[in-house]
Amino acid sequence: MQVDPGNMKLTYTNSVFHFLKPALLVLSLFLFAFSVSAQDEAETYFAETKVGESFNFNEKTIRFKEVLVDSRCPSDVTCVRAGEAKILVEIFKGEKFLGKEIITLGANVNSFKTSLAKFFKEELDIEFLSLSPYPKTSRKIKASDYQLQFKVTETVKR
């Protein structure tokens, strides 16, 4: 490399850079094309269901079957342990029953995320946002009163 002090421009006399430029260009184009083809598309759905209700999307169904256990600490009591709720959901593709999943929600956790990819070929995450109503000592919650809010994110490979 030579420096011309008259106009302070760098001039390269080594021809290695002439070979590197095309190679770097081809490599950059390949990596860009690969990254574009490998990108995934994610679709997000929000749902609120009651016990026994189903949420349908893209020929898939998640049914809020029942609350198995609700030992969350009532909001009007101070507890040593926060407790938890266990819910049962059923998974379908079209009319075909694929299986059941028991989800444990902690009382002090705002949301719980799990993958349902074992039931489907594509990636499918479900995030349980809330289970309401929250227990109080002054009332007993009937099974029909429970509502489950969740978000489903389906990742589709292009």
Side-chain angles (χ1 to χ4, degrees), residues 2 11 18 35-36 38 48 50 63-64 71-73 78 82 101 106 109-110 118 134 150:
Q2 295 176 344
T11 56
H18 294 287
S35 69
V36 168
E48 183 172 297
K50 290 187 170 211
R63 179 181 298 150
F64 178 20
S71 66
R72 297 176 293 171
C73 180
T78 302
E101 189 78 10
V109 177
N110 291 336
K118 66 183 176 185
Y134 201 87
F150 58 94

Side-chain angles (χ1 to χ4, degrees), residues 28-40:
S28 297
L29 289 174
F30 173 75
L31 290 175
F32 177 75
F34 180 74
S35 69
V36 168
S37 67
Q39 284 181 351
D40 299 333

Side-chain angles (χ1 to χ4, degrees), residues 13 28 43-44 49 54 56 73 75 78 84 86 99 109 115 124 127 135 141-143 149 157:
T13 57
S28 297
E43 292 186 44
T44 302
T49 60
S54 299
N56 304 307
C73 180
S75 60
T78 302
E84 63 189 20
K86 290 187 181 200
V109 177
S115 174
L124 190 69
E127 185 174 356
I141 302 172
K142 294 185 280 182
Q149 291 181 336
K157 303 236 185 250

Side-chain angles (χ1 to χ4, degrees), residues 1-14 17:
M1 179 169 45
Q2 295 176 344
V3 177
D4 181 3
N7 60 9
M8 293 301 290
K9 289 184 182 177
L10 294 176
T11 56
Y12 297 97
T13 57
N14 192 339
F17 290 101

